[in-house]
Amino acid sequence: MPAGSAPRRRGGTTLIELVIGIAVGGMVASAIVGVLVRTLRAVSDTTREMLAAREAQLALAPFALELRSASTVPEPLLTDSSAAFSTLVLDGPGCILPDGRVLIAKRVDPVSSGGAWHTLPATRDRALILQEQSGLHDTLDAWSTHAVLDATTSIAVHASCPRPVGSAAPAALLTLDPAPAGDAGDSLVLQVVRRVRWAVTRGGDGAWWLGRRRCDADGSACDPTQPVAGPFLRAADGGIRLAYADSNGVPIVDPATWTDVALIQLWLRPRDARGPTVGAVRRPGR
């Protein structure tokens, strides 16, 4: 090295530069990871929210289906935690057969010929036969009540019944107790109803569920409650509950009679939902 010249610096980074580079790179990586974590968390929260809303909608569907088919006789019993009513199994014209059974034909065109089928009748259902002398159809006094002992389907033509009932197929053949008054071939107007009870129930895990149970025709005994959907938050936390309103949308705190109610609301709020899902069902005839 010549005398008086400064030492030459070798190429590369110093330790200080390396430490600074590592620190800056760590900060950038930490920021990127933070953004990814927040994004994944937001996606996860949105997914849970969507699944919770979907679960609530699926829970509302069977409740709304049965409620839209509710019969006005006998009158339903409504509270903020349960709704007991008779859902319509079938409705239409029929006639008495020579063996005492009742034939109910499935109408091809309910608009022009009347009648509707929702499912096949079964034991524990109740048949309601309209009394000709009564002009009021929305009270139990207007109908004679009969227990369904047996129900089968038939595609045969029954000449003893007037057309189109006797010639329509398929049809339901009902054995009733007591047997309907009248002679073979007499026409009838009847409903077959099934008593159900939807209720807010608390499971063994302490969570709140929407449950359904089928009951005897007179409501005296019911099957064990079967959970339909849940778990949901309790009513006090804005969760599961039933609510009612009149035809103007004014809330009814205590529905004293079925005729006061025009709208039934089922509030469901799953645990992961930010807010409740509300299903509103307008009762039949309103």
Side-chain angles (χ1 to χ4, degrees):
M1 178 184 299
S5 62
R8 299 180 62 184
R9 180 180 177 183
R10 294 182 178 180
T13 59
T14 64
L15 179 60
I16 294 177
E17 291 173 336
L18 182 61
V19 171
I20 293 175
I22 292 175
V24 172
M27 292 173 61
V28 173
S30 177
I32 294 175
V33 170
V35 171
L36 289 176
V37 169
R38 287 193 295 271
T39 301
L40 292 175
R41 186 176 299 166
V43 171
S44 178
D45 291 343
T46 302
T47 301
R48 284 200 304 268
E49 180 79 15
M50 292 176 61
L51 290 176
R54 179 62 176 168
E55 179 184 5
Q57 289 293 340
L58 291 175
L60 288 168
F63 172 77
L65 179 63
E66 287 197 329
L67 191 55
R68 288 193 182 99
S69 302
S71 171
T72 57
V73 286
E75 187 170 296
L77 301 176
L78 308 175
T79 70
D80 62 351
S81 61
S82 69
F85 52 89
S86 295
T87 185
L88 197 62
V89 175
L90 62 82
D91 174 24
C95 79
I96 302 175
L97 298 178
D99 60 6
R101 291 183 298 173
V102 171
L103 173 75
I104 306 178
K106 181 177 182 179
R107 303 266 56 91
V108 176
D109 182 6
V111 175
S112 62
S113 53
W117 274 33
H118 303 278
T119 185
L120 183 68
T123 57
R124 301 174 64 194
D125 291 342
R126 173 160 54 177
L128 306 172
I129 299 179
L130 184 65
Q131 305 300 298
E132 294 182 2
Q133 67 273 18
S134 175
L136 300 176
H137 297 176
D138 56 355
T139 64
L140 191 56
D141 293 339
W143 304 76
S144 61
T145 61
H146 308 260
V148 177
L149 301 183
D150 185 60
T152 58
T153 57
S154 171
I155 58 173
V157 174
H158 297 271
S160 59
C161 290
R163 292 177 177 270
V165 176
S167 57
L173 294 175
L174 306 180
T175 302
L176 305 180
D177 182 31
D183 300 322
D186 286 353
S187 298
L188 303 171
V189 175
L190 66 155
Q191 297 180 357
V192 178
V193 296
R194 180 171 300 161
R195 194 72 172 175
V196 296
R197 184 175 184 268
W198 289 82
V200 177
T201 61
R202 193 171 188 178
D205 56 356
W208 294 90
W209 297 76
L210 176 66
R212 178 191 181 276
R213 62 198 307 189
R214 182 184 174 186
C215 302
D216 289 344
D218 58 1
S220 59
C222 297
D223 295 339
T225 300
Q226 299 296 322
V228 175
F232 301 104
L233 295 178
R234 62 178 183 171
D237 297 326
I240 182 170
R241 64 185 176 91
L242 287 161
Y244 310 94
D246 62 18
S247 57
N248 297 318
V250 178
I252 300 175
V253 178
D254 184 14
T257 62
W258 175 242
T259 54
D260 296 335
V261 177
L263 197 67
I264 299 95
Q265 295 178 332
L266 176 60
W267 293 65
L268 299 174
R269 185 179 180 183
R271 290 175 173 176
D272 294 326
R274 297 179 182 177
T277 298
V278 184
V281 183
R282 187 166 295 276
R283 77 171 182 82
R286 298 300 295 269

